[in-house]
Amino acid sequence: MAAAPVVEDSVQRDPPPRLVLTGADAAVYRADATRVALARLDAALLATLAVEGATSRQRLLQLLWPGEEPENARNVLRQRLFRLRRAVGAEVVAGAERLSLAAGVTHDLDADAGELLAAHDYADCPDFESWLDAQHAALGQRRRERERARIDAC
């Protein structure tokens, strides 16, 4: 029996979404470069995944919906992920119990582009607000270290 011919996959894949999480407006850029503005909690969710990597749903629920009943918070998270996927037209978040950014999704956190989630207030999510303050300090420290290394290299 003859082997089946090998058919190359000539379908061109769209580039993955790109997250902008620093500066004034958090957004996702779709494959066609269309900008999709992120709601405050969507931006917080994606920033957490960009910084921490794979994160349990439970941790995300504690950070972003601290006052909600667990079942309601799980439903809200599920709905947000669905709406985000539909708005972007591609997977941005992957996983089941542990969520992470989908394969290939990029972000601007290493680009010295500004302060993480600068335009948003998270006073109603005190654990997330504390987490964000710690991230501001850590990102600022990394920027200063990179700047010192650039100066030392001169």
Side-chain angles (χ1 to χ4, degrees):
M1 178 176 253
V6 176
V7 178
E8 288 188 35
D9 184 7
S10 62
V11 176
Q12 199 171 23
R13 306 260 186 248
D14 287 334
R18 182 174 53 90
L19 304 178
V20 175
L21 299 169
T22 59
D25 296 313
V28 177
Y29 284 86
R30 296 168 28 165
D32 63 0
T34 302
R35 181 182 179 281
V36 177
L38 289 172
R40 180 179 73 98
L41 289 176
D42 294 338
L45 168 69
L46 294 173
T48 304
L49 298 177
V51 171
E52 292 191 357
T55 304
S56 72
R57 282 180 183 259
Q58 186 61 36
R59 173 152 170 74
L60 294 167
L61 297 176
Q62 290 169 343
L63 286 172
L64 301 175
W65 293 281
E68 292 287 333
E69 291 294 321
E71 187 61 31
N72 187 45
R74 282 191 292 276
N75 288 334
V76 170
L77 176 58
R78 191 171 27 257
Q79 290 169 2
R80 284 195 172 276
L81 293 171
F82 174 79
R83 281 190 236 133
L84 189 58
R85 184 180 331 111
R86 189 171 53 183
V88 175
E91 290 292 332
V92 180
V93 175
E97 282 306 307
R98 294 188 60 77
L99 302 179
S100 62
L101 294 180
V105 172
T106 60
H107 55 75
D108 63 343
L109 297 184
D110 295 324
D112 293 339
E115 188 172 317
L116 178 62
L117 304 179
H120 297 290
D121 176 30
Y122 293 97
D124 61 328
C125 303
D127 290 343
F128 182 77
E129 189 173 46
S130 295
W131 178 89
L132 186 58
D133 288 343
Q135 298 313 309
H136 288 159
L139 290 170
Q141 180 63 30
R142 284 197 295 267
R143 286 183 185 122
R144 285 188 295 278
E145 288 169 2
R146 282 194 300 268
E147 185 60 30
R148 272 189 226 115
R150 276 192 288 257
I151 290 170
D152 291 345
C154 291

